Amino acid sequence: EAFEELCEADLVQPTFVTDHPVEVSPLAKPHRSKPGVVERFELFVVGRELANAFSELTDPVDQRMRLEAQAAKKEAGDEEACGVDEDFLLALEHGMPPTAGLGIGIDRLAMLLTDAKSIRDVIAFPTMRPEAPAGRPG
């Protein structure tokens, strides 16, 4: 939250933000040489996140501990925290090859081109948009 409030708006030029804390990246692999951070980056342009990428954690023991910590945060009221996914953990226990994830799409580019403040303003699926207050069009 502190990063979002204090830094994001100032990232006007294309900027890669790296070395995210383990606590905010429960699915990312630990950094190979920097304890406490993960192998993840986010690309920001004009104060908006355009991409999010990371090496995926494939250690089932570490992943379980992180998901249980997330579940405790969720139980305590953290709306962004996730729960424990037993099926995912079972798949990890059976063996998962090294993988990575990258999130970048036309919706994020549309945000940049239309100066939209939220991805919800440009997504194609109306059911994902928040409902407009009564009397105002959505």
Side-chain angles (χ1 to χ4, degrees), residues 12-77:
V12 177
Q13 297 297 320
T15 305
F16 287 95
V17 176
T18 62
D19 299 338
H20 291 71
V22 170
E23 295 80 11
V24 298
S25 305
L27 301 176
K29 185 174 284 195
H31 196 284
R32 295 164 200 203
S33 61
K34 298 178 183 176
V37 297
V38 296
E39 294 182 353
R40 175 181 172 196
F41 75 80
E42 291 178 311
L43 170 63
F44 287 86
V45 179
V46 191
R48 292 188 182 84
E49 178 191 320
L50 292 187
N52 182 17
F54 56 90
S55 298
E56 294 193 28
L57 180 61
T58 55
D59 176 346
V61 175
D62 189 359
Q63 187 66 80
R64 178 173 293 282
M65 290 185 339
R66 291 195 203 179
L67 290 178
E68 287 174 352
Q70 285 284 308
K73 288 179 181 180
K74 185 175 184 176
E75 187 71 27

Side-chain angles (χ1 to χ4, degrees), residues 1 46-47 82 103 107-108 115 121 136:
E1 287 182 32
V46 191
C82 60
D107 49 2
R108 294 179 187 271
D115 197 31
D121 296 335
R136 291 192 340 192

Side-chain angles (χ1 to χ4, degrees), residues 95-113:
M96 186 168 144
T99 55
L102 171 64
I104 186 168
I106 193 69
D107 49 2
R108 294 179 187 271
L109 180 59
M111 283 177 63
L112 177 65
L113 296 175

Side-chain angles (χ1 to χ4, degrees), residues 72-123:
K73 288 179 181 180
K74 185 175 184 176
E75 187 71 27
D78 185 341
E79 294 179 8
E80 292 187 16
C82 60
V84 177
D85 184 338
E86 292 295 339
D87 291 332
F88 178 66
L89 291 169
L90 181 61
L92 286 179
E93 290 169 4
H94 285 280
M96 186 168 144
T99 55
L102 171 64
I104 186 168
I106 193 69
D107 49 2
R108 294 179 187 271
L109 180 59
M111 283 177 63
L112 177 65
L113 296 175
T114 63
D115 197 31
K117 300 293 182 214
S118 169
I119 198 166
R120 292 180 183 269
D121 296 335
V122 298
I123 60 175

